[in-house]
Amino acid sequence: MLKTLKIFQIILISFCALSIVKAQDSLSLFQNFKNQYDTERVFKQQIYYNPANMLDYSFSSFSQLNVSSFSQKDKVYRQQKGSGEKGFGVYTNSFQKLNNQKVLWGSASYENLKVNHVKWNENLDFDRVAPYITSDSVGGNIDIERYQFLGGYAQKNDRFSLGAEVGYKAQLGSRSRDPRLENTTSELKAKIGLGYNFYKNISVDAFVEGEKYQQNSTTRFVSQLGQPAVYQMTGLGIYNNLFSGGGTSSFNSVNEEYSYKVGGKITNKGGKDFYLLVQYGKANMKRSFKGTANRFYYSADLNNDLLEIEGAKFFQLNDDHRIGIKANYTSRKTEGVEYGYSNNTGLLQQIYKRLSYKRDEEMTTFSLFYSLNKEKFRLSFIPYYSFQEITERRVYPNSGQKFQYNNIGASIDYVQQIAKNQTISFQPFFDYKSVSSAKNALSRPNEASINTWILNDFNYLASDITTIGVNLRYDIKLEKLPAIFVNGNLIQSKIQSKNNNYSSLSVGITF
């Protein structure tokens, strides 16, 4: 992990390299804002997952640099994820049109934060590595540093377009008191896409993506007195007895994943009329644990399959009014294969490898889009509804739970020019998550603390959540200086009659 100073230096160098490629187009502040933060582009953001389509991302160049502070305080939460976080970040991104046939884009960020009251989880990226995590009943706060870099390039020639993108993310998580945590993650992703305009404004495209992810985790104790038991969880409160226990000064594990994703799409007018896309991905993660004789042993494989289908249609009613409709279906299937060993000899010997865990998640979402564009303001309205079903189960011993959710919500985006050099934007939103069904048949371990945790986790997942929020931003362009903005965000979620609160404040420049 790079030191903080070096991270900042790399971010600034990356930002400068992207920004000096081409000066910002000579548009008004209001026009630049509408283009840079186009709500329709966000609505159909899946189009741009293929880097070959970035040629249609924007008609002009733009860049941004901002510093943000954020704070999240939760009264009701999943213990594995903590009660909230507090920290700051530096973010920059840039999109540059070199000419009508070539574009360049990139981003970089650095975050420094503290996640509070994490319990029953000694790993980062919980949603990615679960259920195979290291857990203990004490936990504590985790200090985390994150950095990210991404860059891409696309060009077209006659009817063909070609694009490529490479990104890297890394984290360092630590805790300075027992149980002392030292976690590092790295994620390297590369993808390449190709597009072909085969008839008038109708085009087809395809992409392929490869990714390598690794997490190295160490949980250790300095004190030799009163050490809590450390468990290698395998889902729903069940754990691997062989690699769990107490009285050990250090527990080491490695999660290593290789994945790929492919996809294809057909569009008309670069997605301005309609598009239909399909994406499929597959990932395999191997978890190993450091056992006797300083050797690492495979403890589990986590296999993931992703299928996503999305289609959208847009209508231009006149020069000012535009509407769209979108449907999305996403399916994620996870299987856990676990290893068993015999420790009757000097060295552990594998005696079985079996499918022991499954998690299936399906979500169907319908969204509407409406936009009204006038000379001095823009209004967008996006309502949506989704149905989600999650089934989680394991065998040896048998245990499971199932949830069905209905989500309904809406977001509004209003941008107003208040002077030639000033704009203000107001973005309220609402989301209601309703639990239509929650069932469980959980196997009860002998440990009372694990039983309490698993039941609390089920109660959280079986709770309705009402979320409201607002984002307010002010931009001003002074003569011979980049445009400056101040952005504030407030979010409140009500769950089990208690409020979870999030707030952030950003200051930055755009040009």
Side-chain angles (χ1 to χ4, degrees):
M1 175 69 73
L2 296 175
K3 298 297 183 181
T4 301
L5 181 58
K6 292 184 178 179
I7 295 172
F8 274 116
Q9 291 173 343
I10 293 176
I11 288 177
L12 292 175
I13 291 171
S14 302
F15 173 78
C16 294
L18 287 168
S19 298
I20 64 177
V21 174
K22 185 180 178 183
Q24 175 63 44
D25 296 333
S26 57
L27 300 174
S28 70
L29 176 65
F30 181 60
Q31 290 173 320
N32 278 328
F33 188 97
K34 288 200 302 179
N35 174 59
Q36 187 168 351
Y37 307 101
D38 185 2
T39 51
E40 182 175 332
R41 183 192 300 140
V42 176
F43 184 75
K44 58 185 184 183
Q45 60 183 335
Q46 286 285 38
I47 286 181
Y48 307 108
Y49 198 86
N50 183 340
N53 295 326
M54 290 295 288
L55 291 156
D56 300 320
Y57 189 77
S58 170
F59 63 83
S60 65
S61 303
F62 54 80
S63 300
Q64 175 177 307
L65 172 66
N66 67 283
V67 180
S68 300
S69 64
F70 47 86
S71 175
Q72 180 176 339
K73 298 179 181 179
D74 294 346
K75 295 180 180 179
V76 180
Y77 55 93
R78 298 189 74 179
Q79 296 181 62
Q80 308 97 298
K81 294 186 174 183
S83 63
E85 59 188 38
K86 185 175 183 179
F88 74 94
V90 181
Y91 311 88
T92 179
N93 63 79
S94 184
F95 177 84
Q96 300 293 326
K97 289 187 73 70
L98 307 182
N99 52 48
N100 290 331
Q101 284 77 40
K102 299 177 182 180
V103 296
L104 178 71
W105 67 93
S107 66
S109 66
Y110 169 78
E111 292 182 329
N112 188 303
L113 64 146
K114 176 177 288 186
V115 183
N116 297 315
H117 306 121
V118 179
K119 193 175 180 181
W120 295 111
N121 176 27
E122 300 298 331
N123 290 92
L124 303 178
D125 297 333
F126 170 78
D127 290 324
R128 185 165 193 162
V129 302
Y132 300 118
I133 58 175
T134 302
S135 299
D136 69 84
S137 60
V138 177
N141 301 338
I142 301 178
D143 295 311
I144 298 178
E145 285 187 283
R146 297 179 181 144
Y147 65 90
Q148 170 267 330
F149 304 101
L150 179 145
Y153 173 80
Q155 71 175 49
K156 63 180 178 181
N157 183 14
D158 295 329
R159 292 188 172 186
F160 288 93
S161 60
L162 178 68
E165 183 180 273
V166 177
Y168 180 73
K169 297 179 182 179
Q171 298 180 99
L172 170 63
S174 61
R175 184 188 293 130
S176 58
R177 67 174 191 177
D178 289 357
R180 297 168 191 266
L181 173 67
E182 293 179 3
N183 271 7
T184 60
T185 71
S186 62
E187 178 182 347
L188 178 63
K189 180 186 298 186
K191 55 185 172 182
I192 185 170
L194 178 68
Y196 175 62
N197 187 353
F198 69 93
Y199 178 73
K200 294 184 178 180
N201 291 316
I202 300 178
S203 62
V204 295
D205 63 68
F207 75 90
V208 60
E209 174 185 272
E211 183 178 356
K212 163 71 185 312
Y213 171 87
Q214 183 166 316
Q215 179 171 175
N216 295 282
S217 305
T218 300
T219 303
R220 62 187 181 89
F221 298 89
V222 173
S223 174
Q224 299 299 315
L225 301 175
Q227 294 180 3
V230 177
Y231 304 94
Q232 304 303 316
M233 307 305 299
T234 58
L236 300 174
I238 311 303
Y239 58 89
N240 187 318
N241 286 280
L242 180 61
F243 297 130
S244 301
T248 301
S249 60
S250 180
F251 293 81
N252 299 283
S253 63
V254 177
N255 292 73
E256 187 175 36
E257 179 184 79
Y258 291 91
S259 64
Y260 71 87
K261 184 187 289 187
V262 295
K265 180 174 72 280
I266 181 171
T267 63
N268 186 24
K269 300 178 180 178
K272 294 181 178 180
D273 188 12
F274 75 86
Y275 69 85
L276 177 65
L277 64 85
V278 178
Q279 296 182 4
Y280 173 76
K282 194 172 185 65
N284 173 258
M285 178 181 291
K286 289 187 175 293
R287 180 175 174 87
S288 56
F289 185 81
K290 187 176 181 180
T292 59
N294 205 33
R295 293 180 58 185
F296 276 86
Y297 298 89
Y298 287 127
S299 58
D301 295 345
L302 197 61
N303 303 311
N304 288 279
D305 290 298
L306 168 69
L307 173 65
E308 183 172 11
I309 303 172
E310 181 173 295
K313 172 66 178 175
F314 298 89
F315 305 89
Q316 188 72 45
L317 301 185
N318 53 41
D319 292 339
D320 300 328
H321 301 270
R322 184 166 172 82
I323 61 174
I325 183 171
K326 180 178 70 175
N328 177 283
Y329 169 78
T330 303
S331 171
R332 292 181 174 87
K333 297 184 180 297
T334 302
E335 292 185 345
V337 176
E338 297 168 13
Y339 296 76
Y341 295 88
S342 170
N343 60 351
N344 295 327
T345 59
L347 294 177
L348 296 180
Q349 295 182 343
Q350 181 182 326
I351 57 176
Y352 68 79
K353 177 183 177 182
R354 65 193 181 194
L355 177 64
S356 301
Y357 173 85
K358 284 188 176 182
R359 186 181 189 274
D360 298 329
E361 176 182 354
E362 292 184 336
M363 177 181 287
T364 303
T365 304
F366 299 96
S367 308
L368 297 176
F369 172 81
Y370 169 74
S371 179
L372 171 63
N373 280 282
K374 291 292 187 179
E375 183 180 354
K376 294 186 177 181
F377 77 87
R378 181 191 69 194
L379 173 66
S380 300
F381 177 59
I382 303 177
Y384 60 87
Y385 165 78
S386 68
F387 175 76
Q388 182 182 24
E389 183 175 87
I390 299 175
T391 303
E392 188 177 16
R393 56 197 182 275
R394 63 163 296 113
V395 294
Y396 315 113
N398 294 320
S399 188
Q401 56 189 14
K402 182 177 181 179
F403 305 94
Q404 291 181 340
Y405 303 107
N406 291 279
N407 273 73
I408 185 170
S411 63
I412 297 173
D413 180 28
Y414 180 77
V415 183
Q416 175 71 55
Q417 176 180 316
I418 56 179
K420 289 185 178 180
N421 67 334
Q422 299 177 63
T423 65
I424 189 169
S425 66
F426 178 67
Q427 298 171 314
F429 62 90
F430 165 81
D431 180 87
Y432 176 60
K433 182 178 182 179
S434 172
V435 182
S436 56
S437 177
K439 304 175 182 178
N440 75 66
L442 299 173
S443 177
R444 302 294 182 87
N446 294 326
E447 292 80 357
S449 58
I450 295 181
N451 278 324
T452 301
W453 158 44
I454 294 302
L455 291 176
N456 287 340
D457 195 60
F458 174 82
N459 289 334
Y460 177 91
L461 297 174
S463 299
D464 296 346
I465 303 176
T466 302
T467 303
I468 58 173
V470 63
N471 187 80
L472 185 63
R473 172 167 166 160
Y474 170 74
D475 289 65
I476 183 171
K477 175 70 171 70
L478 302 176
E479 188 176 356
K480 297 182 180 181
L481 290 175
I484 303 170
F485 70 86
V486 179
N487 187 90
N489 185 263
L490 294 173
I491 303 174
Q492 183 178 87
S493 297
K494 189 171 185 179
I495 175 173
Q496 298 177 10
S497 301
K498 297 182 180 180
N499 293 326
N500 295 341
N501 298 292
Y502 173 85
S503 62
S504 68
L505 180 64
S506 301
V507 179
I509 58 175
T510 59
F511 52 96

